[in-house]
Amino acid sequence: MTDAANEQPNPFDLNSDDVAARKRDELMQLFPEAFSDGKIDFGQLRRVLGEWVDEGTERFGLSWPGKAACMKVIQAPATGALRPDLEESVNFDESDNIFVEGDNLEVLKLLQKAYFGKVKVIYIDPPYNTGKEFVYPDKYSETLETYLSYTGQKDDEGRRFSTNSESSGRFHSRWLNMIFPRLYIARNLLSDDGIIFISIDDNEHAHLKTLCDQIFGSENFLGSVCRATGQTTGQDSGGLGSSFDYLLVYGRNPEVDLSGLPLTNKDLLRFENEDERGKYAFDQMRKTGSNDRREDRPNLFYPVINPDGEETWPIASAGYESRWRFGYETYSRLRDDNFIVWKKALRGDSEIWWPYVKYYADGRTKRPSPLWNDLDGNKKAARDVRALFGGKKVFDFPKPVPMIQRCIQIAPNASSSDIILDFFAGSASTAEAVMDLNARDGGSRRFILVQLPEPTDEGSEARAIGISNLASLARQRIRLAAEKIVRGIPANDGADLGLSKKTDFGFRAFNLGQSAFPKWEVESEVEQNDLLDSIADHASYGVDASDDAILFELLLKDGFQLTERVNKVSIANSKVYSIADGALLICLERNLSKEIIDALADLAEEKEAARVVCLDVGFQGNDQLKTNAVQTFKSRLGHGEDGSMFRTV
């Protein structure tokens, strides 16, 4: 029998998502026969997959110094937290958009639980590794420590961010060490029909393509877009100038297709006919081009009756027997539904009746091309950003908004409620692309942006107007872009331009920082007084942190998204946070009492809460009160008999 006096609440799980464990579980579901005593038998796994490969056999793939160490970085848990920044936010309580200032590797890890499989589109514009602008953490095994030191949150010399000099002997290796963990972890966030677009130039295109084949699978490679930048650079190099860069495109699932692009006004010109269904154009019913001969599809060679009551066969103008585009049953249905149009066509010296098939403009799209030379280039994008900032040049090489909008539009099963992630936010072109697209079609797409607070250059125009780092610049770009879009919406709610005032023009700002509940870490050889000080400091964690900081750390690490609506409920002169209509109740009271516990149990019973969380320090060392709390929740609620619903942190 359990001694009630010794019962304790379950601890809250503060760990980030364990990527390796998740993948092992998935592998076990697929290949249970490859596991022995819970461990992977790699020899058996190879046999199951039919790969009889000797251990020493060389294999095709991309390898570089540091690649093996990257897996340790990937599997290391996140130890930081995302703290809300209300002052930098716009409409924090209502907005569903997210902007995070911080190192994107740590942030991606923190997003794993809440956003696993939830992101439809990832667009990133990582450093092109030209040897000038590349910023990266020197010590990959100490990501958060590096970031805290870099941003002045921790005084520790030796951990810094710097440029990747072209003179470095590990120039490409260091770039790959940076990008590999980030792409590997980002893949987990993509939905089953999700897609990623990665901007890159010739410096790393070949390496990145091979790396992405390994991470996403070569079967998920959807193509490489060649994008006209609108200017020719490098003309003094003696070689070919550069007028293009690229977008590598990968999906998560090879079974899904890209969406089509909306028709332009130029495209619509060909729909010059109209009937009761709407505007339409038509193509001839005979198959043209490749595989158009009778022997290619003999069952599609049949006669149809023309308006004069005569048989018409699919004979090509060159005289050979061809075929129709579809079978006779489909033809009969289209004929009965008035989709077949007969026109007189000149054949030799005489006119004959010839069948055509209608297709309508309404709802029609077109296949995206791998050559994007019909969009604004980099110069126009730079002018647009300058205009937002009063003519000041605050950012080099911003990406064009229409380009990112096209990426969003052609995503598989594109929806007006998709989540768009950009973890190299730069000047925040992605945020403007999402807001503008939503304003035009009334959508509710959401963006998540992450940007390192890389300092702007001393003496730059950005620094002259008070912008000290790129994260600040990106946030200001979002505010100014929102104002510009709103100014373009007429007073009648944008009805004549299709613009919507209901668009979410706000964002919730967060900063990467240290957890309010860091794990116990102390050296084995430490002075007694220092040990006592460390114990006292660790015992007080969570006391000095703000309620907002603790709340959002717990939400994210419990699997709730950063935009989850939170209601404040008053009980027994204390405040309780109710998440997802009471699914989770969080009490951050630092001085708990029996009255508060009873009232919290009442609220949990009323809301049918799945979990209740309190601060461990709130019990003030009163083990009896803590034990009584466990018993209260067990006896009052009809679930969680093992006490798992009540947790402390």
Side-chain angles (χ1 to χ4, degrees):
M1 181 177 294
T2 303
D3 185 353
N6 293 327
E7 290 195 32
Q8 295 292 310
N10 289 331
F12 185 91
D13 183 8
L14 287 166
N15 293 318
S16 58
D17 196 33
D18 190 333
V19 176
R22 184 191 288 269
K23 290 187 177 296
R24 284 195 300 271
D25 290 342
E26 292 175 353
L27 192 63
M28 183 178 288
Q29 293 296 321
L30 291 172
F31 306 108
E33 64 271 37
F35 282 76
S36 176
D37 295 327
K39 296 183 179 180
I40 303 174
D41 182 339
F42 289 100
Q44 178 65 10
L45 179 59
R46 286 197 297 271
R47 286 189 286 274
V48 170
L49 295 174
E51 297 181 5
W52 305 94
V53 182
D54 294 334
E55 291 291 339
T57 301
E58 293 182 344
R59 300 178 184 180
F60 176 80
L62 180 64
S63 182
W64 68 91
K67 182 178 181 180
C70 283
M71 293 308 300
K72 294 182 179 179
V73 176
I74 290 168
Q75 295 172 14
T79 57
L82 301 185
R83 299 175 176 176
D85 188 340
L86 301 183
E87 291 186 2
E88 291 288 351
S89 301
V90 176
N91 195 19
F92 185 95
D93 290 335
E94 300 299 325
S95 181
D96 286 323
N97 297 317
I98 300 294
F99 184 94
V100 181
E101 176 181 315
D103 172 48
N104 51 20
L105 179 57
E106 183 79 0
V107 173
L108 286 170
K109 289 183 178 182
L110 290 170
L111 296 178
Q112 291 291 301
K113 277 188 179 179
Y115 293 91
F116 189 95
K118 299 292 197 306
V119 175
K120 173 60 74 68
V121 177
I122 297 177
Y123 168 77
I124 57 171
D125 180 21
Y128 281 6
N129 203 19
T130 63
K132 300 174 182 178
E133 86 293 29
F134 177 38
V135 176
Y136 69 98
D138 279 343
K139 295 190 177 181
Y140 297 100
S141 62
E142 299 175 349
T143 307
L144 181 62
E145 296 298 310
T146 304
Y147 176 76
L148 295 178
S149 176
Y150 174 74
T151 56
Q153 298 181 55
K154 187 168 185 174
D155 184 15
D156 189 350
E157 295 184 0
R159 297 184 178 98
R160 60 188 177 85
F161 284 50
S162 63
T163 57
N164 188 29
S165 171
E166 205 166 0
S167 62
S168 168
R170 301 179 67 234
F171 179 62
H172 294 291
S173 297
R174 296 170 92 171
W175 188 87
L176 290 167
N177 284 336
M178 180 278 297
I179 200 69
F180 178 34
R182 287 159 174 81
L183 291 178
Y184 189 99
I185 296 172
R187 179 185 179 276
N188 296 330
L189 301 178
L190 284 174
S191 61
D192 189 55
D193 58 354
I195 189 171
I196 183 170
F197 298 86
I198 309 171
S199 283
I200 200 67
D201 70 356
D202 287 326
N203 286 288
E204 296 292 350
H205 181 277
H207 296 142
L208 182 61
K209 169 65 170 63
T210 306
L211 179 65
C212 286
D213 282 346
Q214 294 180 12
I215 295 174
F216 298 97
S218 58
E219 71 278 6
N220 288 314
F221 176 59
L222 296 175
S224 181
V225 172
C226 185
R227 182 187 73 93
T229 58
Q231 55 192 351
T232 301
T233 59
Q235 298 185 66
D236 57 350
S237 65
L240 293 173
S242 175
S243 301
F244 301 90
D245 63 11
Y246 308 95
L247 281 166
L248 288 179
V249 189
Y250 283 82
R252 183 71 189 268
N253 184 344
E255 300 301 320
V256 297
D257 298 323
L258 293 176
S259 297
L261 284 169
L263 299 182
T264 65
N265 289 333
K266 182 178 179 180
D267 296 326
L268 292 171
L269 291 177
R270 70 176 183 269
F271 295 91
E272 56 186 358
N273 305 287
E274 189 171 6
D275 61 16
E276 66 280 2
R277 292 190 182 97
K279 291 185 175 297
Y280 69 90
F282 49 81
D283 278 334
Q284 62 171 309
M285 193 173 118
R286 185 183 75 83
K287 174 71 170 68
T288 58
S290 61
N291 302 316
D292 70 328
R293 294 180 176 270
R294 176 179 181 177
E295 55 265 29
D296 294 321
R297 294 289 297 276
N299 61 316
L300 300 185
F301 182 80
Y302 55 86
V304 293
I305 305 302
N306 67 30
D308 291 337
E310 301 171 339
E311 290 185 343
T312 298
W313 294 82
I315 306 299
S317 57
Y320 63 85
E321 293 182 339
S322 183
R323 68 178 181 85
W324 302 122
R325 293 181 180 273
F326 35 75
Y328 187 78
E329 288 187 7
T330 300
Y331 164 76
S332 298
R333 176 175 55 80
L334 292 174
R335 179 199 59 203
D336 295 344
D337 290 340
N338 193 29
F339 278 86
I340 302 298
V341 178
W342 287 91
K343 298 279 186 180
K344 286 283 189 176
L346 187 64
R347 184 66 59 86
D349 295 330
S350 60
E351 286 188 334
I352 64 169
W353 284 108
W354 199 244
Y356 297 82
V357 184
K358 297 179 183 179
Y359 59 96
Y360 290 82
D362 185 36
R364 193 172 186 82
T365 60
K366 61 179 179 180
R367 286 290 90 201
S369 164
L371 175 61
W372 293 6
N373 59 356
D374 58 334
L375 298 175
D376 292 334
N378 291 356
K379 282 187 176 181
K380 176 62 163 57
R383 289 198 301 269
D384 289 344
V385 174
R386 277 194 178 194
L388 287 175
F389 286 88
K392 302 294 184 181
K393 182 182 179 182
V394 296
F395 191 83
D396 294 325
F397 314 120
K399 285 298 183 285
V401 167
M403 180 200 76
I404 300 174
Q405 289 180 330
R406 177 169 292 181
C407 294
I408 296 170
Q409 290 171 322
I410 67 175
N413 305 314
S415 165
S416 61
S417 59
D418 287 337
I419 297 178
I420 319 299
L421 169 64
D422 182 350
F423 52 90
F424 285 97
S427 67
S429 295
T430 298
E432 181 173 346
V434 171
M435 292 188 299
D436 182 73
L437 203 56
N438 283 341
R440 294 183 182 280
D441 66 10
S444 56
R445 301 170 188 85
R446 296 176 280 163
F447 64 75
I448 302 174
L449 268 58
V450 186
Q451 176 57 45
L452 187 77
E454 180 186 349
T456 51
D457 293 335
E458 293 285 352
S460 65
E461 293 185 56
R463 188 66 66 91
I465 60 175
I467 298 176
S468 60
N469 62 66
L470 292 189
S472 296
L473 185 151
R475 286 190 293 260
Q476 184 64 2
R477 161 77 179 278
I478 299 173
R479 300 184 190 102
L480 294 174
E483 293 174 4
K484 181 191 74 171
I485 296 170
V486 170
R487 286 197 301 270
I489 301 176
N492 63 347
D493 198 24
D496 41 18
L497 289 181
L499 301 180
S500 172
K501 283 185 176 179
K502 298 178 181 178
T503 300
D504 182 356
F505 292 112
F507 61 91
R508 297 186 176 199
F510 292 85
N511 296 320
L512 175 63
Q514 197 168 19
S515 169
F517 311 96
K519 292 183 177 180
W520 169 257
E521 291 182 348
V522 67
E523 296 179 4
S524 57
E525 296 181 4
V526 63
E527 295 292 334
Q528 180 178 349
N529 290 338
D530 293 336
L531 177 61
L532 293 174
D533 289 342
S534 296
I535 294 173
D537 290 342
H538 194 270
S540 66
Y541 284 142
V543 175
D544 297 330
S546 71
D547 280 7
D548 284 337
I550 295 175
L551 173 64
F552 280 94
E553 178 174 357
L554 297 182
L555 284 181
L556 193 58
K557 291 181 176 178
D558 200 44
F560 286 93
Q561 296 185 10
L562 290 168
T563 53
E564 187 68 56
R565 295 296 181 258
V566 178
N567 296 318
K568 298 177 183 178
V569 182
S570 180
I571 61 165
N573 297 319
S574 295
K575 181 170 53 181
V576 174
Y577 296 94
S578 174
I579 294 91
D581 198 25
L584 172 64
L585 300 177
I586 298 178
C587 179
L588 302 180
E589 175 63 50
R590 271 66 165 185
N591 190 11
L592 292 167
S593 65
K594 183 178 184 303
E595 290 73 24
I596 295 175
I597 294 297
D598 289 340
L600 188 56
D602 288 340
L603 182 62
E605 192 172 11
E606 174 190 338
K607 296 287 188 179
E608 297 182 352
R611 293 181 300 284
V612 178
V613 179
C614 291
L615 291 178
D616 192 74
V617 295
F619 289 97
Q620 299 288 313
N622 188 337
D623 290 338
Q624 184 61 46
L625 179 61
K626 190 184 296 186
T627 300
N628 290 340
V630 174
Q631 290 298 316
T632 296
F633 283 102
K634 278 187 176 182
S635 62
R636 294 283 303 277
L637 300 170
H639 57 93
E641 290 299 323
D642 60 351
S644 60
M645 73 158 302
F646 178 53
R647 306 178 190 176
T648 59
V649 61

